[in-house]
Amino acid sequence: MKQNKLFFNVGIKNTKQRNLVYDILHQSSQPITAEEIFLKYQELDEAISLSTIYRILDLFSTKGLIIKTYINENTKACFIINHHDHKHYLICKNCKKVVEIDGCPFTTYEKELEEKTSFTIQGHKLELFGLCGGCKDSLL
Amino acid sequence: MKQNKLFFNVGIKNTKQRNLVYDILHQSSQPITAEEIFLKYQELDEAISLSTIYRILDLFSTKGLIIKTYINENTKACFIINHHDHKHYLICKNCKKVVEIDGCPFTTYEKELEEKTSFTIQGHKLELFGLCGGCKDSLL
DNA sequence: ATGCAAATGCAAACTATTCGCATGTGATTA
DNA sequence: TAATCACATGCGAATAGTTTGCATTTGCAT
């Protein structure tokens, strides 16, 4: 029961399920899917309804606690804790490992583009794909 | 029947359905979904089975004639003709219009990253979001 | 023109996600 | 601390997008 203050701050009730789902997200170094959370939940506690997981993820997203993203051309949504900093990802095509990239190479580029296109740019998403060190070696 | 050579080159049969689906993709300035193709097909010819559309899109993708992409955090797949040049997109959050961006600001950045992370980078995906000129005005 | 592999159409299956409704639970108030 | 009530949960059914199995049709090499 460590996140009662966090939940209180965004005006949502503190429940066992929300706490544990938050923990699972917090302990995950990678974006994870609803189903992965569902499975891990069952390891740590008794069963939970998958629809509850989806409702919790939805709530956390709208409250800004987590970010929903469709990484890696996948059909499943992934979720990550919102650290409120700007992140990009490097994804291994082979093992699907996701690595955070520090920094963002875009600020000046966006300004130029706004002038060229008459768009107002509000954000961007960048994913880089390739092979991580481990996979590169093991594929030879 | 204009693409018989194109289809022959990649080793697939020439059918009415494939021709028309290819035409529709070719004439679209934006990435389009299977369902949009399905609807447009019915305007131009008689009905087609939606599963045929999916099978054709799958085939075109594996033959490299088109590109399948999940743009705009959408749950639906989108498809575009593969012009074999490297493109990025600017997407209006309001009207969902998709505009192609010329050029790519990445080549040097990727080199630096490879050194830092020990990944071999094979490609990337960049989407920028904002409001297009029209929507910006109409929202005030 | 014929034959056969491959393409199509239809319906059913599948996967990820959402929704309706009955029941259970957290947190506010007395 | 107990009562209350809005809100959270669980379950199953519904939905949306996509895929698959199978019978029928069609393109194309001969």
Side-chain angles (χ1 to χ4, degrees):
Chain A
M1 299 298 176
K2 295 149 285 176
Q3 22 265 160
N4 22 37
K5 192 166 290 177
L6 184 61
F7 291 168
F8 183 82
N9 286 340
V10 297
I12 66 174
K13 277 190 195 166
N14 188 279
T15 70
K16 184 182 70 158
Q17 291 86 337
R18 289 177 183 176
N19 271 287
L20 196 42
V21 168
Y22 192 89
D23 278 345
I24 291 167
L25 281 156
H26 197 259
Q27 280 157 30
S28 172
S29 58
Q30 308 249 335
I32 50 177
T33 64
E35 207 199 347
E36 287 165 343
I37 294 171
F38 178 68
L39 294 172
K40 183 145 283 181
Y41 194 106
Q42 286 170 302
E43 287 173 27
L44 300 174
D45 194 87
E46 55 201 54
I48 186 175
S49 170
L50 193 51
S51 42
T52 301
I53 301 253
Y54 277 109
R55 277 191 273 237
I56 289 174
L57 291 172
D58 221 53
L59 183 73
F60 285 0
S61 292
T62 56
K63 294 300 179 181
L65 300 180
I66 63 173
I67 291 167
K68 179 179 186 173
T69 181
Y70 289 87
I71 237 166
N72 200 205
E73 300 294 291
N74 215 321
T75 47
K76 303 183 199 177
C78 290
F79 301 86
I80 32 169
I81 290 286
N82 185 358
H83 292 295
H84 298 285
D85 48 7
H86 185 79
K87 285 288 178 190
H88 293 304
Y89 295 96
L90 194 47
I91 301 152
C92 179
K93 286 248 187 195
N94 184 245
C95 70
K96 309 297 177 195
K97 184 164 67 183
V98 178
V99 173
E100 283 187 8
I101 297 165
D102 296 329
C104 169
F106 272 113
T107 358
T108 51
Y109 179 67
E110 287 188 4
K111 290 264 181 310
E112 286 172 36
L113 255 190
E114 286 195 329
E115 283 162 30
K116 268 193 252 176
T117 62
S118 85
F119 261 73
T120 301
I121 294 174
Q122 299 176 323
H124 61 256
K125 175 174 169 179
L126 168 65
E127 291 167 33
L128 293 123
F129 304 96
L131 294 174
C132 68
C135 286
K136 202 171 14 177
D137 297 342
S138 70
L139 288 180
L140 298 181
Chain B
M1 300 297 176
K2 295 149 285 179
Q3 21 263 162
N4 24 35
K5 193 166 291 177
L6 183 61
F7 292 166
F8 183 82
N9 286 342
V10 297
I12 66 175
K13 277 191 193 167
N14 188 278
T15 70
K16 186 182 69 158
Q17 291 87 337
R18 288 177 183 175
N19 271 288
L20 196 41
V21 168
Y22 191 90
D23 278 345
I24 291 167
L25 281 156
H26 197 259
Q27 280 157 29
S28 173
S29 57
Q30 307 250 334
I32 51 177
T33 64
E35 208 199 347
E36 286 165 341
I37 293 170
F38 177 68
L39 294 172
K40 183 145 283 180
Y41 194 105
Q42 285 169 302
E43 287 173 27
L44 300 174
D45 195 86
E46 54 201 53
I48 187 176
S49 169
L50 192 50
S51 44
T52 301
I53 302 252
Y54 278 109
R55 277 190 271 236
I56 289 174
L57 291 172
D58 221 54
L59 183 72
F60 285 0
S61 293
T62 55
K63 294 301 181 183
L65 300 180
I66 64 174
I67 291 167
K68 177 180 189 174
T69 180
Y70 290 86
I71 238 167
N72 201 204
E73 300 294 292
N74 216 323
T75 47
K76 303 183 199 175
C78 289
F79 301 86
I80 34 170
I81 290 285
N82 185 0
H83 291 294
H84 298 287
D85 49 6
H86 186 79
K87 285 289 178 189
H88 293 303
Y89 296 97
L90 195 45
I91 302 152
C92 180
K93 285 247 187 197
N94 187 242
C95 70
K96 311 295 176 196
K97 184 164 69 182
V98 178
V99 173
E100 282 186 9
I101 298 164
D102 295 327
C104 167
F106 272 112
T107 355
T108 51
Y109 179 67
E110 287 187 3
K111 290 265 181 310
E112 286 172 38
L113 255 190
E114 287 195 329
E115 283 163 30
K116 267 195 253 176
T117 63
S118 85
F119 261 73
T120 300
I121 293 174
Q122 299 176 324
H124 61 257
K125 176 175 170 178
L126 168 65
E127 292 168 33
L128 293 122
F129 304 96
L131 294 173
C132 67
C135 287
K136 201 171 17 178
D137 296 344
S138 69
L139 287 179
L140 298 183

